[in-house]
């Protein structure tokens, strides 16, 4: 085992603080990675504060972080795809059974034996897995992603969760030329959704509660921006959308967005607020509309997304912070005050 520096929370109400954790010795199929940057996802905050207790209670200490970019420092004897020095990424998944129906169709995110990067049972060391707010990580090569060298690593880190979580449903619902697409919430996920929907050729409309983000939304690729608190502005779009992606992290009313969908239109939720969101069935009946969900994406699709980003030079707009600012960053994220993703420079951990 190797001791590594990390930041962890010891309860739902305590701040993240400097800690030491163990990483396993590399097995023949493992890759060891020196972490350079780790994006800060709202899921990290939900987990640290045990907001998903009814679904997946948090085990403490909790080391979050599933938007990991780094360089390979060592590989096991059977590793064939990676070598020392490669720029690689790790997202939300670190293990699966490879045999279940989900794994067989490259959707490891739905594997009943799947292991998430943090707060999942650790099959090697016992306890739970520890994420990317740390110096290094050891991962089975299947779950390691190749990161195109032309991408800035700080901005590429959020692609590993915010990127794939928006890329996957936009692809699944065949968003492209001729589609009118709405992106609800301009945060970490939302701003990536805008970039991808635009790159796929859609007409993109951003719904925001933050007036201060209007100009940025246009710069990021939106054709139109709607203040979602203004009913009149909202209703101008009634019945016109093919697809709407809702990335909101907090309680909100989704029924107005259902009204904006056209016949057979779909509203996909990727945001995961603490409490259930009520849906008026009448709103769905008229127009045969649907509401669905989507969870990150499989490993093959994540690689496809990274390659697409490499070709189109797409990264996240990041504010790079030292790990010592992480608790402040969480408070700012709660106030929707992040443009548009925090990316932690892990070199800052070396001074701990
Ligand atoms: P984020 O950066 O905090 O962005 C969320 C955005 O939602 C905010 O920027 C804000 O946008 C909007 N918002 C916040 N509070 C709101 C409210 N009360 N009413 C209306 N809008 C509000 O969070 P994120 O990292 O993008 O994550 C978003 C959600 O997705 C979280 O719940 C996270 O856990 C979840 N998630 C799901 C998956 C998945 O696989 N499905 C993966 C990653 C994350 P405006 O300022 O523009 O209004
Ligand atoms: Zn995430």
């Amino acid at each position: 085992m190797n001791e590594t520096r990390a930041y962890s929370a010891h309860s739902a109400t305590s701040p993240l603080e400097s800690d030491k954790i163990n990483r396993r010795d590399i097995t023949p199929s493992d890759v060891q990675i020196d972490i350079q940057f780790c994006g800060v996802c709202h899921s990290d905050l939900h987990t640290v504060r045990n907001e998903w207790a009814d679904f997946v209670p948090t085990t403490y200490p909790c080391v979050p972080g599933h938007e990991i970019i780094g360089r390979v420092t060592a590989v096991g004897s059977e590793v064939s795809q990676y070598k020392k020095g490669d720029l690689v990424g790790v997202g939300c998944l670190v293990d699966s059974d490879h045999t279940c129906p989900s794994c067989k169709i490259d959707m490891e995110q739905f594997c009943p034996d799947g292991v998430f990067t943090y707060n999942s049972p650790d099959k090697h060391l016992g306890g739970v897995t520890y994420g990317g707010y740390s110096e290094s990580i050891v991962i089975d090569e299947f779950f390691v992603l190749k990161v195109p060298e032309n991408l800035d690593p700080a901005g590429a880190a959020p692609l590993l969760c915010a990127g794939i979580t928006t890329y996957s449903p936009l692809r699944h619902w065949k968003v492209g030329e001729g589609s009118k697409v709405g992106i609800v919430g301009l945060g970490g996920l939302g701003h990536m959704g805008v970039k991808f929907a635009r790159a796929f050729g859609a007409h993109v409309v951003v719904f925001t509660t933050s007036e201060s983000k209007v100009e940025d939304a246009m710069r990021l690729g939106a054709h139109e921006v709607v203040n979602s608190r203004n009913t009149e502005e909202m209703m101008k779009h009634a019945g016109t959308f093919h697809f709407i992606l809702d990335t909101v992290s907090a309680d909100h009313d989704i029924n107005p967005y259902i009204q904006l969908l056209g016949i057979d239109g779909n509203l996909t939720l990727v945001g995961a607020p603490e409490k259930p969101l009520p849906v008026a069935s009448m709103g769905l009946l008229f127009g045969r509309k649907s509401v669905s969900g989507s969870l990150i994406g499989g490993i093959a699709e994540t690689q496809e997304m990274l390659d697409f980003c490499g070709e189109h030079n797409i990264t996240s707009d990041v504010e790079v912070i030292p790990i010592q600012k992480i608790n402040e960053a969480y408070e700012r994220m709660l106030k929707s005050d992040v443009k548009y993703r925090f990316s932690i420079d892990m070199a800052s951990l070396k001074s701990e």
Side-chain angles (χ1 to χ4, degrees):
M1 278 193 306
N2 298 298
E3 202 176 61
T4 174
R5 281 176 278 223
Y7 255 55
S8 70
H10 283 255
S11 81
T13 51
S14 49
L16 289 144
E17 56 189 22
S18 182
D19 202 354
K20 297 249 165 64
I21 57 167
N22 287 319
R23 295 297 189 193
R24 65 178 183 259
D25 292 327
I26 54 172
T27 70
S29 61
D30 277 340
V31 173
Q32 185 185 55
I33 301 160
D34 180 32
I35 301 175
Q36 293 183 328
F37 292 94
C38 184
V40 179
C41 180
H42 209 114
S43 303
D44 301 350
L45 189 157
H46 288 303
T47 306
V48 160
R49 302 196 177 173
N50 204 14
E51 290 175 355
W52 294 332
D54 295 341
F55 194 64
V56 249
T58 304
T59 300
Y60 296 94
C62 172
V63 178
H66 56 206
E67 295 186 336
I68 299 167
I69 293 275
R71 294 266 173 202
V72 173
T73 44
V75 296
S77 55
E78 287 165 14
V79 169
S80 60
Q81 299 189 68
Y82 299 98
K83 59 179 189 324
K84 203 172 160 186
D86 286 351
L87 185 66
V88 294
V90 178
C92 304
L93 299 167
V94 294
D95 206 358
S96 70
D97 66 14
H98 303 289
T99 55
C100 74
S102 303
C103 286
K104 283 194 176 145
I105 53 166
D106 292 334
M107 292 194 192
E108 298 85 10
Q109 73 271 37
F110 304 129
C111 173
D113 272 335
V115 179
F116 290 95
T117 308
Y118 59 83
N119 199 41
S120 258
D122 185 333
K123 292 177 188 167
H124 297 265
L125 296 181
V128 290
T129 49
Y130 293 136
Y133 294 9
S134 58
E135 275 179 307
S136 68
I137 194 162
V138 176
I139 301 286
D140 185 283
E141 85 166 313
F142 183 89
F143 296 90
V144 178
L145 284 311
K146 293 188 177 72
V147 177
E149 285 279 353
N150 61 313
L151 298 180
D152 161 52
L159 300 175
L160 276 305
C161 175
I164 184 60
T165 302
T166 50
Y167 180 94
S168 182
L170 289 167
R171 282 293 196 214
H172 176 76
W173 290 94
K174 302 196 171 23
V175 162
E177 301 267 338
S179 326
K180 183 173 175 184
V181 172
I183 304 288
V184 187
L186 198 65
L189 266 55
H191 92 291
M192 289 313 305
V194 173
K195 290 188 184 201
F196 287 132
R198 181 68 189 242
F200 298 164
H203 182 85
V204 185
V205 182
V206 165
F207 295 94
T208 182
T209 60
S210 307
E211 278 295 338
S212 64
K213 295 181 183 172
V214 173
E215 260 176 49
D216 281 350
M218 303 295 281
R219 177 181 55 80
L220 291 162
H223 296 92
E224 297 177 66
V225 185
V226 172
N227 174 346
S228 53
R229 295 205 164 118
N230 182 326
T231 311
E232 209 177 303
E233 259 188 69
M234 290 282 283
M235 289 316 290
K236 279 190 198 149
H237 293 270
T240 62
F241 281 88
H242 297 100
F243 179 73
I244 299 178
L245 187 66
D246 185 327
T247 74
V248 174
S249 51
D251 191 22
H252 64 295
D253 187 4
I254 62 170
N255 294 290
Y257 296 104
I258 294 171
Q259 281 184 274
L260 305 192
L261 294 172
I263 293 173
D264 285 329
N266 171 269
L267 170 69
T268 287
L269 304 173
V270 284
E274 196 174 350
K275 303 244 162 57
L277 303 169
V279 176
S281 57
M282 277 297 184
L284 295 175
L285 270 48
F286 286 85
R288 198 169 53 189
K289 299 168 184 178
S290 61
V291 175
S292 56
S294 190
L295 182 74
I296 47 172
I299 293 299
E301 194 177 32
T302 306
Q303 189 62 60
E304 175 192 307
M305 179 273 310
L306 286 167
D307 295 344
F308 181 88
C309 288
E311 276 160 39
H312 295 85
N313 212 11
I314 293 175
T315 51
S316 182
D317 285 30
V318 290
E319 179 177 337
V320 175
I321 55 164
I323 188 85
Q324 291 79 7
K325 289 250 160 119
I326 188 64
N327 295 302
E328 197 182 304
Y330 277 18
E331 292 312 314
R332 284 183 51 198
M333 188 157 60
L334 280 174
K335 287 189 238 151
S336 303
D337 175 26
V338 43
K339 293 187 172 162
Y340 280 86
R341 196 58 142 187
F342 291 113
S343 186
I344 309 167
D345 180 351
M346 280 306 158
S348 60
L349 202 49
K350 307 223 184 296
S351 62
E352 290 286 336

